[in-house]
Amino acid sequence: MSVEDQQMKIRCLVAKVGLDGHDRGAHVIARAFRDAGFEVIYSGLHNAPEEIVQATVQEDVDVLGISILSGAHNELVPDIIEGIKEYDAYEDTLIVVGGIIPEEDEEFLYENGVDGIFGPGTPLEETITFIEENVKRDE
Amino acid sequence: MSNEMSEIEELVSELLDGKHRALAKAITYIENNRPGYRKLVSELHQHTGNADVIGITGSPGAGKSTLVDKMANVYRDRGETVGVIAIDPSSPFSGGAVLGDRIRMASTVGDMDVFFRSMSARGTLGGLSTATTDAVKALDAFGKDKIIVETVGAGQNEVDIVKTADTVAVLVPPASGDDIQMLKAGILEIADIFVVNKADLDGADMTVKELREMIHMRNSGPSPASGHHGADALVDTEVDFPGDTDSDWETPIVETVAKKGEGIDEFLETIQQHVDWLAESGEGTRQARQRYAAEIQRLIREDVAKLVERDLKAAGGLDAKVEEVMAKESDPYTVTDELLAAIRNPAQPANTE
């Protein structure tokens, strides 16, 4: 009986972390992801790291996209990843960061578990293709 | 296959142990119709029945998400755990969706005992009521005290979704003549409680008055809800609406200003009264029976449809059958009989003597 037809969708959380109030980029990304057929959960401005952890775990997203413009990425991003690991959700979540990340910080973030960094001017297709090719599925 | 089964067993035991990740994954199984999800939901069933399930519906912008946020906050203050399923319609063009209900969940930030899950329609609204029912079971089995199902009240499919709840609250924004019209088209009958949200705005009194008149008319008139019909008769025949003739629950109207947290306590008190009434009157048991009956009927219908679709494909597809009928080589009854033969008598498939 093959009555269990799978309906897979890439689920993605787009989150703005910390104090900066610029969400235009996050909106553009959310819409582009939607148009690419993703299911996008948008969690609004000023998310605390534990809020993003909560959303990532509960929504069981395949992708966490963090938009950060404030410069506090070296503190906030590792906090988030640490929390996600605590709930055993790291292994199957692709973590991408967008916004203003100086080149010298990239290595630090990659070492701390970020899978991709996309700065200003990155074509949307490039980000979408990266996600489609690298999304971590259980099987 | 056995690997898949042990995976399901592990997931079930982790979920029952209260592991958040397992609950989240279980709902993903359900949403994706991933192989094994039926076994998963079957295993969970015996652990359900302890939660109060509350449905919140209303037009876009009525304040559903804000109200749900405040409700969750009060329940948490009382030490109760909360599960929320927020359903948003899918973008019809690409199959993608942006789900934004989470933005309003500001009062319980970082509190893992509020489990909030966004679901989209994924283009198949019919299947969504099944997915919602199953996701509610997962939250119930996990041990949530209160489960809130939030959806836009736009039509019959959303009505089906919200009917998974024990208590249904319909939100009405003030001064919305249009909304009252919309309510008349089917949402009215499912309301156990009306909530006039944004009650500090002009027109709130008028809206309360109109609703009161409507409830009065319904109670004195010749039960307009009982003549429910439509193409989905297999599912709907057994399903009465709460608030129908033989019940004595008078739909209350509660005024709230969700944004400021006003009227929330009264609203939750009213929900509790309804929950108590369901238990005392026996109505809750009756409705549970009806829900299971409807669920079984729905699953049968969905499965049969899928099996027939498979057979139809194997027989060359619908177009081929239509051509046969056009050429008078066959007729619609014969085609249907042939396709259903395997289901009607599985021991003797249609093509053997």
Side-chain angles (χ1 to χ4, degrees), chain A residues 3-9 11 34-35 38-40 42 54-55 57-60 87-88 92 138-139, chain B residues 19 21 24 28 32-36 38 94-97 99 102 110-111 114 116-118 120 122 306:
Chain A
V3 285
E4 295 186 344
D5 297 334
Q6 283 207 69
Q7 353 179 344
M8 302 288 275
K9 273 258 153 85
R11 266 171 87 83
R34 181 199 63 189
D35 292 342
F38 297 3
E39 214 164 74
V40 183
Y42 181 58
Q54 181 189 23
V57 173
Q58 294 182 348
E59 300 285 359
D60 193 22
Y87 286 99
D88 293 339
D92 55 6
D138 302 323
E139 53 202 77
Chain B
K19 195 174 170 191
R21 174 98 188 114
T28 304
N32 290 350
N33 277 1
R34 189 169 154 178
R38 291 182 165 226
S94 64
L99 310 173
R102 240 199 137 87
D111 177 1
V114 176
F116 186 101
R117 183 65 176 244
S118 317
S120 83
R122 297 200 178 178
K306 277 178 196 159

Side-chain angles (χ1 to χ4, degrees), chain B residues 193-254:
Chain B
I193 301 168
F194 280 114
V195 181
V196 176
N197 191 33
K198 307 184 185 180
D200 54 344
L201 294 184
D202 287 346
D205 293 348
M206 190 62 195
T207 303
V208 171
K209 195 168 150 264
E210 280 177 40
L211 282 172
R212 198 159 281 149
E213 273 167 21
M214 259 169 44
I215 292 166
H216 179 72
M217 270 170 58
R218 185 183 58 178
N219 288 347
S220 55
S223 180
S226 57
H228 188 72
H229 52 78
D232 291 344
L234 176 61
V235 166
D236 288 325
T237 38
E238 296 293 323
V239 183
D240 283 358
F241 290 108
D244 260 8
T245 40
D246 55 340
S247 62
D248 55 356
W249 174 257
E250 182 134 344
T251 315
I253 304 167
V254 182

Side-chain angles (χ1 to χ4, degrees), chain B residues 3 14 20 24 54 75 85 95 101 115 123 141-142 156 162 183 198 201 206 213 241 254 294 309 332:
Chain B
N3 201 12
E14 283 182 358
H20 292 95
I54 303 148
Y75 284 136
I85 297 169
D101 289 314
F115 190 99
F142 185 83
Q156 187 58 45
V162 91
L183 289 171
K198 307 184 185 180
L201 294 184
M206 190 62 195
E213 273 167 21
F241 290 108
V254 182
E309 199 133 302

Side-chain angles (χ1 to χ4, degrees), chain A residues 3-138:
Chain A
V3 285
E4 295 186 344
D5 297 334
Q6 283 207 69
Q7 353 179 344
M8 302 288 275
K9 273 258 153 85
I10 293 179
R11 266 171 87 83
C12 180
L13 174 67
V14 174
K16 283 285 308 173
V17 66
L19 292 177
D20 83 83
H22 304 279
D23 58 355
R24 196 178 167 78
H27 282 181
V28 170
I29 284 282
R31 233 166 286 156
F33 284 179
R34 181 199 63 189
D35 292 342
F38 297 3
E39 214 164 74
V40 183
I41 292 128
Y42 181 58
S43 61
L45 280 168
H46 309 309
N47 293 160
E50 62 264 35
E51 199 174 356
I52 295 175
V53 171
Q54 181 189 23
T56 304
V57 173
Q58 294 182 348
E59 300 285 359
D60 193 22
V61 288
D62 305 302
V63 184
L64 165 60
I66 307 167
S67 165
I68 188 160
L69 297 165
S70 67
H73 43 267
N74 282 353
E75 291 78 44
L76 296 171
V77 173
D79 275 0
I80 293 166
I81 293 175
E82 197 60 34
I84 291 173
K85 282 179 176 165
E86 256 173 56
Y87 286 99
D88 293 339
Y90 178 72
E91 292 309 318
D92 55 6
T93 309
L94 186 76
I95 298 172
V96 295
V97 177
I100 312 282
I101 311 290
E103 240 179 283
E104 60 265 32
D105 290 343
E106 289 193 359
E107 202 185 320
F108 174 81
L109 291 178
Y110 280 126
E111 275 169 11
N112 277 274
V114 172
D115 296 294
I117 298 170
F118 299 94
T122 310
L124 290 166
E125 297 78 32
E126 191 183 317
T127 313
I128 289 166
T129 306
F130 177 85
I131 289 172
E132 283 170 341
E133 285 173 357
N134 292 282
V135 66
K136 301 172 187 174
R137 280 275 153 76
D138 302 323

Side-chain angles (χ1 to χ4, degrees), chain B residues 131-148:
Chain B
T132 309
T133 307
D134 292 346
V136 165
K137 280 185 186 171
L139 288 164
D140 192 345
F142 185 83
K144 292 295 181 194
D145 299 312
K146 308 284 178 188
I147 298 167
I148 304 172

